[in-house]
Amino acid sequence: MKSKRSRHKQAHTSTTRRPINKPSTRPAMSTRQPGDTNPTHRGPIFVKDADGGLNPFDAKNGYASEAELQKLIADHPELLRGDQMDPEDPRRWLLVGREVGIPGGLGQSDRWSIDHVFIDHDAVPTLIEVKRSSDARIRREVVGQLIEYAANAKRHWPANRLEQLARESHADILDQTVLKLCGSKEAATDFWARADANLRSGNVRLIFVADRIPDELCQMAVFLNEQMTHTEVLALEIRPYATPGGMEAFVPHVLNATPQARELKSALSGRRKWTEAEFFDDVRRRLPPDASNAVRALFDAVSQSASTLSWGTGSLRGSFNPKYAHVGERSPISVFSDGALHMNGFWMDAPYGARLKDAARELFGIVANERNPEVIPVDLWVPKRQALQDELARLLAPNSAEACEP
């Protein structure tokens, strides 16, 4: 059992402490079986520079300390790879606190502390326990440890504890941060009430994080995630790499985010797969005719050019997400039934990500960020719908990588 550590609440900072270089290829979201070769292997990765040369980043022997990995996650929650957890509606994160205390009984002082508490844009609390692969407790003990923390947080944290912790971390900007996280006023209005309800019902996410997940822990995470109907249990590796010159790269990989488990938990949590008919019924219910017609026109335009089009799984609002085979696996935009438009430049490969960010700034005056989509309110993009469609057609055409060059 982990002894109680001194708690220190740390605000999520947007300052990048070190360069994070992402390789151009992404590992498949398949469950690792004992003895399998992990996609994030021990050999080097290669980053291509502007001159066409390849720079090798050699695999590091883990992290110098557990605290180093903890801080990396707190400073860069995008490493949690919410897109691997849910490709149709990638998880977005708000750091609630670090080294958060958990009491052993009602009215008692804190007995344990959990490394990180995050919450996603659907108000699902996410508890994270970090270990180095050299720690012997990572093979079995950490499983009981994290489940014990979750059980006691569910039972003994008072109502509004999550919001209280978040306000300690984010102070006066919390409400604005939650609105940006959710993407709509409707979703943000009762965000903390839904967070409390999710915690009480066990609709939470537990994540084991290490530089390397041993097979024993991987298989336990697979089993628990498949058998637990409300709680998501995931194993995440964040492999560190470095160059002799001091540049660092990190390759995160969720090992057991299977579609079967995701569909089961989505159904039980109230999330569902929307259809076109349901989506546009909701659009007409929410929006005035001019905005509703604009959503339909944008849908028709992207449907003609997209390779595939997927429907979201939100519990409060639907979304459609066009995908383009020549661009990659991810949707460059998402359009929601309340009219919100997300321009997903933050997760697109070059050159499309940078071009989408530029388009959001030039068309709508939206300042780009590295961790979340650019959220465009319906009253901002509807008057510029045709310009938006023209720009998307230009940026996402099969030859757009060359056409967009100055």
Side-chain angles (χ1 to χ4, degrees):
M1 181 180 299
K2 181 171 65 176
S3 62
K4 176 184 173 185
R5 295 173 250 168
S6 62
R7 291 182 290 157
H8 55 282
K9 307 298 185 298
Q10 176 168 316
H12 180 164
T13 174
S14 61
T15 303
T16 301
R17 306 282 181 173
R18 64 190 76 190
I20 294 184
N21 296 276
K22 300 177 185 178
S24 59
T25 56
R26 293 178 296 275
M29 288 191 304
S30 58
T31 299
R32 186 178 74 186
Q33 301 299 326
D36 285 352
T37 299
N38 195 298
T40 51
H41 52 77
R42 297 291 294 173
I45 59 174
F46 296 89
V47 177
K48 188 175 181 179
D49 61 29
D51 297 326
L54 291 181
N55 298 313
F57 282 64
D58 293 320
K60 294 174 63 177
N61 187 24
Y63 296 88
S65 66
E66 187 177 299
E68 179 186 359
L69 180 53
Q70 289 175 2
K71 186 176 187 303
L72 185 69
I73 294 168
D75 289 348
H76 302 286
E78 60 268 33
L79 289 171
L80 297 177
R81 290 307 297 268
D83 60 311
Q84 291 186 0
M85 298 176 192
D86 189 343
E88 303 301 336
D89 188 12
R91 303 293 87 192
R92 303 190 300 275
W93 308 105
L94 172 69
L95 177 63
V96 173
R98 287 184 61 186
E99 299 288 358
V100 176
I102 300 173
L106 291 173
Q108 296 183 13
S109 60
D110 292 338
R111 181 177 178 182
W112 308 280
S113 61
I114 181 74
D115 290 333
H116 303 83
V117 177
F118 282 88
I119 195 162
D120 72 14
H121 58 284
D122 281 332
V124 175
T126 299
L127 280 59
I128 297 176
E129 188 62 20
V130 174
K131 288 284 185 289
R132 291 189 295 165
S133 58
S134 57
D135 189 332
R137 295 173 297 172
I138 196 174
R139 298 187 181 278
R140 291 183 179 84
E141 184 178 334
V142 70
V143 176
Q145 187 180 11
L146 188 51
I147 291 176
E148 185 174 36
Y149 295 167
N152 282 277
K154 174 181 181 293
R155 184 175 183 182
H156 300 311
W157 273 350
N160 301 320
R161 179 57 175 158
L162 289 166
E163 182 179 7
Q164 179 188 29
L165 289 166
R167 290 202 180 278
E168 292 175 7
S169 294
H170 298 271
D172 295 338
I173 66 170
L174 179 62
D175 293 339
Q176 179 183 357
T177 303
V178 169
L179 178 60
K180 188 173 184 179
L181 176 77
C182 295
S184 73
K185 292 181 180 179
E186 177 189 18
T189 298
D190 62 346
F191 182 81
W192 295 110
R194 288 189 288 124
D196 281 340
N198 283 331
L199 179 64
R200 300 290 171 242
S201 66
N203 181 23
V204 299
R205 181 181 296 107
L206 310 180
I207 307 179
F208 305 102
V209 181
D211 54 290
R212 180 171 174 81
I213 299 291
D215 287 334
E216 297 93 332
L217 177 57
C218 182
Q219 290 306 300
M220 284 187 280
V222 169
F223 177 80
L224 290 171
N225 197 44
E226 291 177 348
Q227 299 303 317
M228 298 179 76
T229 54
H230 291 86
T231 302
E232 191 172 16
V233 182
L234 301 173
L236 169 67
E237 288 186 343
I238 304 179
R239 296 283 185 94
Y241 296 80
T243 66
M247 292 286 290
E248 294 183 280
F250 303 94
V251 181
H253 180 48
V254 181
L255 300 180
N256 64 313
T258 62
Q260 296 84 357
R262 185 165 55 247
E263 289 174 5
L264 173 64
K265 296 176 202 301
S266 293
L268 292 171
S269 67
R271 298 175 65 204
R272 59 196 174 87
K273 192 77 167 181
W274 288 69
T275 66
E276 180 178 344
E278 292 170 338
F279 175 84
F280 282 105
D281 283 346
D282 199 41
V283 167
R284 288 187 290 271
R285 180 179 66 83
R286 293 171 179 264
L287 299 176
D290 60 332
S292 176
N293 292 336
V295 172
R296 168 60 77 175
L298 181 57
F299 171 82
D300 291 341
V302 299
S303 296
Q304 293 177 12
S305 58
S307 304
T308 59
L309 192 142
S310 63
W311 296 97
T313 58
S315 58
L316 297 178
R317 56 181 182 162
S319 65
F320 67 81
N321 310 278
K323 299 180 181 181
Y324 300 78
H326 63 281
V327 170
E329 301 173 356
R330 298 163 170 172
S331 303
I333 67 167
S334 301
V335 182
F336 292 82
S337 56
D338 62 358
L341 166 68
H342 287 191
M343 297 183 72
N344 301 321
F346 77 109
W347 71 348
M348 300 299 296
D349 290 335
Y352 302 103
R355 298 298 180 183
L356 280 168
K357 289 176 179 293
D358 290 343
R361 182 179 62 254
E362 292 169 5
L363 285 171
F364 307 113
I366 300 295
V367 178
N369 63 83
E370 297 300 322
R371 295 193 172 107
N372 291 300
E374 284 68 58
V375 179
I376 319 298
V378 63
D379 57 350
L380 189 57
W381 72 261
V382 165
K384 299 183 178 181
R385 176 186 60 79
Q386 190 58 55
L388 171 66
Q389 290 177 197
D390 293 344
E391 187 66 9
L392 289 174
R394 186 178 74 88
L395 294 178
L396 300 174
N399 61 346
S400 62
E402 292 78 15
C404 290
E405 292 299 327

